[in-house]
Amino acid sequence: MDKSTLIDCLDTAQQAARRAAAILEDWRRRFSVREKARCDLVTDADLASQQAIREILSRRFPDHGFVGEEDKASQARPSSDAPPTWIVDPLDGTTNYVHDCPLYCVSIGLQVAGAIVVGVVFDPSRQEMFRAALGQGAWLGEERLMTSRATHLGEALLATGFPPDMRGQERQLDWWRYFSLRTRSLRRTGSTALNLAYVAAGRFDGYWGFDNHAWDVAAGTILVREAGGMITKIDGGEYDPFAMDALASNGPLHPVLLECLRQGP
């Protein structure tokens, strides 16, 4: 994609994210909740938000593909010859949203030929639009984002995410203990997309997770990279947003975190 096309995609993604967020806020006091699985909530707000995003994106880019969290039929990995494909989480942090905890967002990424080239993460509670396009940097409003310069675990604030159902996933508790004894502090926000946006913004120094989905991480991937950070698989391999594991960092901390993850809790 050339620069003008990237900017067009980025502008449209921001428009879609703002529209979706307005729908989420409209639903705040009138949604109904049902369980997709134990501790994994979905609301009418999720569905309405995703529909609005899809309508805006498909109207502007009718030939693009779409992968959305709330559409099981569209969740397969795009093939190598797939058209540009939008990867969307219409409400990342649903449990926070349900409990009126202001840590949730809309996440929209664009994948072209296997690479994420556009990403927006919009936090309606704080009206923060994190945005990035390949080669254009990462931004929050008029401020260009840069990752932190922390080089030692002892000065690092790390984030992680837990799966909706912790049964059988207790290793996350082991890692929580491991890093809590070696870092300045840890955070678990309940929103992977916000975690990655905060790494890009220098608010967090790193993030690790074992239970991600493409729609959780697509937008955050390019935010981190365009802000000067790194994102790989937990073992240091080339990052794949359709894999479950991820390690994101400011850059200088990456080899330190990789070594910790190799050693085990």
Side-chain angles (χ1 to χ4, degrees):
M1 281 189 172
D2 59 28
K3 180 178 178 180
S4 63
T5 303
L6 282 173
I7 297 304
D8 187 14
C9 290
L10 183 61
D11 289 345
T12 305
Q14 290 180 84
Q15 176 190 351
R18 289 191 184 279
R19 175 58 183 149
I23 289 172
L24 293 178
E25 297 311 289
D26 181 58
W27 273 97
R28 163 146 312 283
R29 299 299 176 215
R30 60 190 182 93
F31 61 76
S32 62
V33 179
R34 65 183 184 276
E35 286 198 352
K36 288 189 289 189
R38 182 178 182 271
C39 305
D40 192 6
L41 302 172
V42 64
T43 71
D44 292 330
D46 296 73
L47 302 173
S49 173
Q50 179 166 295
Q51 182 61 27
I53 294 168
R54 189 166 196 163
E55 287 174 358
I56 290 171
L57 296 177
S58 63
R59 184 164 58 245
R60 181 67 187 86
F61 307 106
D63 297 330
H64 287 193
F66 190 90
V67 173
E69 181 185 11
E70 304 306 332
D71 183 1
K72 297 300 184 185
S74 74
Q75 291 181 0
R77 178 195 298 270
S79 63
S80 59
D81 60 349
T85 300
W86 295 96
I87 304 175
V88 171
D89 192 335
L91 174 52
D92 187 43
T94 304
T95 299
N96 288 341
Y97 176 80
V98 167
H99 289 270
D100 200 22
C101 176
L103 286 165
Y104 55 88
C105 64
V106 179
S107 176
I108 303 174
L110 177 63
Q111 179 173 293
V112 178
I116 305 298
V117 299
V118 165
V120 301
V121 172
F122 183 55
D123 173 356
S125 298
R126 300 189 66 187
Q127 289 292 295
E128 289 189 325
M129 177 73 77
F130 301 88
R131 67 188 191 279
L134 186 64
Q136 308 306 311
W139 300 82
L140 174 57
E142 299 304 311
E143 176 188 359
R144 184 157 188 168
L145 299 180
M146 297 292 292
T147 54
S148 74
R149 295 295 92 196
T151 58
H152 303 288
L153 277 184
E155 60 182 329
L157 177 61
L158 302 184
T160 191
F162 290 174
D165 187 349
M166 286 292 291
R167 294 175 299 181
Q169 301 289 333
E170 290 85 353
R171 66 171 175 168
Q172 266 290 35
L173 301 177
D174 297 332
W175 283 110
W176 181 272
R177 183 180 187 279
Y178 177 89
F179 281 117
S180 70
L181 296 174
R182 291 165 173 81
T183 61
R184 177 167 290 164
S185 195
L186 303 180
R187 296 290 182 266
R188 182 199 168 202
T189 67
S191 169
T192 298
L194 281 180
N195 288 338
L196 293 175
Y198 284 12
V199 172
R203 298 174 183 176
F204 292 156
D205 302 298
Y207 163 83
W208 86 92
F210 300 103
D211 190 52
N212 302 310
H213 298 281
W215 45 86
D216 300 323
V217 299
T221 297
I222 191 164
L223 283 168
V224 170
R225 287 174 170 165
E226 287 293 317
M230 294 182 65
I231 184 165
T232 66
K233 297 176 71 175
I234 289 290
D235 64 3
E238 182 178 357
Y239 188 60
D240 175 6
F242 283 84
M244 299 292 284
D245 62 301
L247 174 66
S249 80
N250 62 355
L253 268 177
H254 214 81
V256 178
L257 293 170
L258 283 173
E259 184 60 27
C260 289
L261 289 161
R262 289 190 186 107
Q263 290 177 358

